[in-house]
């Protein structure tokens, strides 16, 4: 076994030990083996203070740089990351548990794209201008807010960290990033590229640690005027309560319990193929996964049979192996939580139609956190397993008979992040999409993302929108300038 990586905070352009000498480290295991993969600083408010000070010091100069210069630096970061794509993909897999093939195809390329997209977008931004006849000309300016507090999740670690970092620095903000304590390694590795790319010291600072210590200190810091958080709804509520008295800007991308609706006239093969992906990709640990499948009655039995057949054929195993389709869940407590919902489904009268068991025979991964992709039938739409976010490779399948009935099912949770509908009836697709309570609805597809479109949820799935130009509305304040004629 290789010795664990020893991480350090990245503050003011340098890797530094924690501010408090008595602060220790905690272990971060490789989910596929259970062995310690990294030792993560248990940072506290003193480390956050140092990072915020460094970001505040860097802000005047960085916010005054030209968009062309900021773009060039970001494009260099993207190129350096692309040059080391394989190294980062392997690290992401060992830290999070996902297959290396997935990190290679999705996570790291998307992180690269995040930098390139926002780097080029800022070169073509326009401001608003109006004229009051013979009275005045008005125009607007987007002014970067200041030090941005960024908190990223563990499921798509570098992908979603850069989804916040890239627009923040493109807008002219400086920032302090607190990655998830479960998956810190690729954010730490990214720091090693920043100086080489020519990013000035203090523009990006990264502090590792837990939510209650480092995260809480960042959220409540008086010199951090805005917080962007992606994670669970319960944590989002705590952040909202802490930010509100300080009048901070907030972007909260929270939980989801997304519905996948399949009408009888759907392209069956395409709906099945994509539903397998939307149910089990990344071990079901994607906020956009469709964990509630509703199938019109005439094709319900056929759909369930085929879904179970394909779920049973998925390869669960060593994330490094090219044939692996599902890796390990992120941690032992999370695996226990997901498995507890399988037991709850039985208590609620459901049938485990596929999976529902741990996988303990992975060679070299006997201590890993593996489970079979799971399909559950026989539950009511109001049952807890159908209502609560599980965030694992577990889906429920429920029949419906009318459009009105499934619309009620679709909207019948506290969440509203995303969903899919499968039908060849264009009028129905438009009609249904207009009525669902969700931030994104895909028609005959899933996980198709145009970064020019708004991304975010409604209800308990969050506040605000990300993407261009929406991220710039968040990281900037808009100022009106009125010139008398």
């Amino acid at each position: 076994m290789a010795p664990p990586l020893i991480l350090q905070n990245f503050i003011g352009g340098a890797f530094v030990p924690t501010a408090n000498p008595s602060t220790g480290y905690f272990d971060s295991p490789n989910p596929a083996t259970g062995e310690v993969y990294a030792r993560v600083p248990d940072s506290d408010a003193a480390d956050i203070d140092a990072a915020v000070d460094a970001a505040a010091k860097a802000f005047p100069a960085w916010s005054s740089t030209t968009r062309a210069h900021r773009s060039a630096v970001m494009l260099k970061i993207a190129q350096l990351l692309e040059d080391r794509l394989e190294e980062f993909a392997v690290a992401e897999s060992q830290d999070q548990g996902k297959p290396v093939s997935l990190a290679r195809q999705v996570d790291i390329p998307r992180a690269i794209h995040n930098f390139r997209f926002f780097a080029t977008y800022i070169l073509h931004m326009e401001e608003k201008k109006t004229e009051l006849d013979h009275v005045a000309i008005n125009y607007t300016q987007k002014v970067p807010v200041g030090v941005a507090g960024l908190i990223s999740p563990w499921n798509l670690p570098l992908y979603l960290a850069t989804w916040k970092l890239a627009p923040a620095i493109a807008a002219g903000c400086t920032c302090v990033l607190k990655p998830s304590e479960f998956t810190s390694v690729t954010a730490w590795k990214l720091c090693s590229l920043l100086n080489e790319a020519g990013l000035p010291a203090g523009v990006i600072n990264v502090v590792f640690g837990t939510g209650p210590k480092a995260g809480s200190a960042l959220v409540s810091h008086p010199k951090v005027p805005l917080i962007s958080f992606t994670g669970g709804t319960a944590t989002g509520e705590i952040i909202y309560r802490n930010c509100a008295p300080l009048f901070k800007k907030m972007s909260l991308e929270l939980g989801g319990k997304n519905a996948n609706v399949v009408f009888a006239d759907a392209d069956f093969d395409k709906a099945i193929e994509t539903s397998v992906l939307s149910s089990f990709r990344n071990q079901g640990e994607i906020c956009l996964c469709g964990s509630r499948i509703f199938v019109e009655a005439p094709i319900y039995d056929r759909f369930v049979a085929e879904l179970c057949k394909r779920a049973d054929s998925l390869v669960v195993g060593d994330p490094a192996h090219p044939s692996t389709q599902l890796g390990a869940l992120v941690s032992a407590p999370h695996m226990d939580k997901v498995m507890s919902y399988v037991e709850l489904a039985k208590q609620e009268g459901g049938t485990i139609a596929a999976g529902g068991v741990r996988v303990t025979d992975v060679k070299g991964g006997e201590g890993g956190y593996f489970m079979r992709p799971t399909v559950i039938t026989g539950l009511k739409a109001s049952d807890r397993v159908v209502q609560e976010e599980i965030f694992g490779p577990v889906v429920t399948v429920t029949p419906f008979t009318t459009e009105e009935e499934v619309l009620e099912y679709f909207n019948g949770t506290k969440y509203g992040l995303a969903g899919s509908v499968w039908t060849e009836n264009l009028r129905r697709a438009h009609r249904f999409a207009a009525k669902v309570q969700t931030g994104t609805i895909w028609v005959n597809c899933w996980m198709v993302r145009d970064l020019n479109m708004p991304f975010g949820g409604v209800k308990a799935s969050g506040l605000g929108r990300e993407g261009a130009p929406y991220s710039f509305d968040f990281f900037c304040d808009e100022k009106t300038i009125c010139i008398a004629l």
Side-chain angles (χ1 to χ4, degrees):
M1 182 181 74
L5 302 171
I6 308 297
L7 309 193
Q8 286 187 308
N9 294 329
F10 185 76
I11 298 174
F15 289 103
V16 297
T18 54
N20 186 345
S22 65
T23 299
Y25 289 77
F26 55 84
D27 293 338
S28 179
N30 179 334
T33 64
E35 298 170 347
V36 177
Y37 174 56
R39 305 206 68 222
V40 181
D42 191 13
S43 305
D44 59 19
D47 301 292
I48 294 294
D49 286 342
V52 172
D53 287 346
K57 182 179 179 181
F59 176 72
W62 181 249
S63 61
S64 300
T65 58
T66 65
R67 292 174 179 175
H69 178 71
R70 296 201 297 266
S71 176
V73 172
M74 293 176 65
L75 290 173
K76 181 63 173 177
I77 295 172
Q79 185 59 56
L80 292 171
L81 181 54
E82 188 169 54
D83 292 343
R84 295 168 60 180
L85 190 153
E86 184 67 16
E87 173 192 339
F88 274 77
V90 171
E92 198 75 292
S93 171
Q94 292 176 337
D95 203 24
Q96 200 275 338
K98 68 182 70 211
V100 173
S101 60
L102 181 62
R104 183 186 297 124
Q105 295 165 11
V106 176
D107 291 65
I108 311 307
R110 173 57 189 275
I112 295 165
H113 181 60
N114 286 339
F115 280 113
R116 287 183 172 149
F117 176 83
F118 287 107
T120 53
Y121 186 89
I122 58 174
L123 299 178
H124 309 287
M125 293 174 66
E126 296 181 346
E127 307 290 2
K128 183 179 179 180
K129 174 260 180 185
T130 64
E131 182 175 346
L132 295 172
D133 289 346
H134 312 300
V135 177
I137 293 175
N138 293 279
Y139 63 95
T140 61
Q141 281 187 337
K142 288 191 182 299
V143 181
V145 174
V147 178
L150 313 175
I151 303 176
S152 57
W154 51 256
N155 59 324
L156 303 168
L158 194 64
Y159 178 142
L160 292 179
T162 56
W163 179 232
K164 300 180 185 301
L165 288 168
I169 66 172
C173 289
T174 55
C175 55
V176 178
L177 170 69
K178 206 293 285 183
S180 169
E181 57 266 39
F182 296 106
T183 51
S184 300
V185 170
T186 49
W188 172 70
K189 293 177 76 69
L190 178 68
C191 296
S192 67
L193 308 181
L194 302 180
N195 293 340
E196 185 178 352
L199 187 73
V203 174
I204 291 178
N205 305 273
V206 183
V207 177
F208 302 100
T210 65
K213 289 177 68 174
S216 179
L218 180 59
V219 167
S220 60
H221 201 287
K223 294 182 181 179
V224 177
L226 75 172
I227 296 292
S228 176
F229 168 79
T230 297
T233 297
T235 304
E237 181 180 350
I238 295 170
I239 291 173
Y240 185 91
R241 291 179 184 275
N242 288 338
C243 286
L246 301 173
F247 301 100
K248 297 191 179 200
K249 296 180 76 171
M250 285 178 284
S251 173
L252 305 176
E253 198 266 280
L254 307 178
K257 189 69 175 177
N258 308 307
N260 179 11
V261 176
V262 184
F263 285 96
D265 70 336
D267 181 327
F268 186 88
D269 292 338
K270 188 175 181 182
I272 274 286
E273 180 182 358
T274 308
S275 294
V276 171
L277 288 176
S278 66
S279 300
F280 304 123
R281 200 172 205 189
N282 202 52
Q283 303 76 244
E285 297 169 328
I286 301 177
C287 60
L288 300 172
C289 278
S291 55
R292 297 182 298 147
I293 305 177
F294 299 106
V295 183
E296 196 168 5
I299 62 168
Y300 175 78
D301 289 340
R302 179 187 173 200
F303 187 95
V304 170
E306 186 64 23
L307 181 65
C308 290
K309 175 184 174 182
R310 297 197 185 200
D312 286 338
S313 70
L314 292 173
V315 178
V316 179
D318 180 1
H321 198 283
S323 67
T324 295
Q325 294 166 292
L326 275 77
L329 276 70
V330 72
S331 68
H334 185 63
M335 180 185 63
D336 292 342
K337 172 200 164 185
V338 175
M339 289 300 300
S340 75
Y341 275 98
V342 176
E343 294 306 310
L344 178 60
K346 298 174 185 177
Q347 297 169 21
E348 291 184 321
T351 298
I352 311 304
V357 296
R358 288 193 57 188
V359 177
T360 58
D361 59 352
V362 176
K363 185 176 180 180
E366 293 78 7
Y369 319 131
F370 300 93
M371 69 174 288
R372 289 296 313 171
T374 300
V375 178
I376 302 172
T377 60
L379 293 174
K380 302 185 296 296
S382 59
D383 285 333
R384 282 181 57 196
V385 173
V386 187
Q387 288 287 314
E388 298 177 11
E389 185 177 37
I390 300 174
F391 217 63
V394 177
V395 294
T396 61
V397 191
T398 306
F400 70 90
T401 56
T402 68
E403 185 176 322
E404 294 73 22
E405 177 190 11
V406 75
L407 182 64
E408 183 177 345
Y409 290 161
F410 191 111
N411 292 334
T413 74
K414 69 178 183 179
Y415 298 106
L417 186 58
S420 298
V421 57
W422 295 86
T423 178
E424 295 297 291
N425 185 324
L426 184 60
R427 286 192 176 89
R428 172 191 282 154
H430 282 297
R431 183 172 63 242
F432 196 81
K435 293 179 180 178
V436 296
Q437 298 168 358
T438 186
T440 298
I441 179 71
W442 286 290
V443 178
N444 298 331
C445 59
W446 174 73
M447 202 70 170
V448 178
R449 291 279 290 112
D450 180 349
L451 303 193
N452 291 290
M453 301 303 289
F455 178 76
V458 301
K459 301 193 287 188
S461 288
L463 296 172
R465 294 294 183 267
E466 296 175 287
Y470 313 95
S471 292
F472 294 102
D473 293 337
F474 176 68
F475 288 112
C476 295
D477 287 328
E478 197 162 27
K479 178 191 296 182
T480 297
I481 298 172
C482 179
I483 308 293
L485 295 177

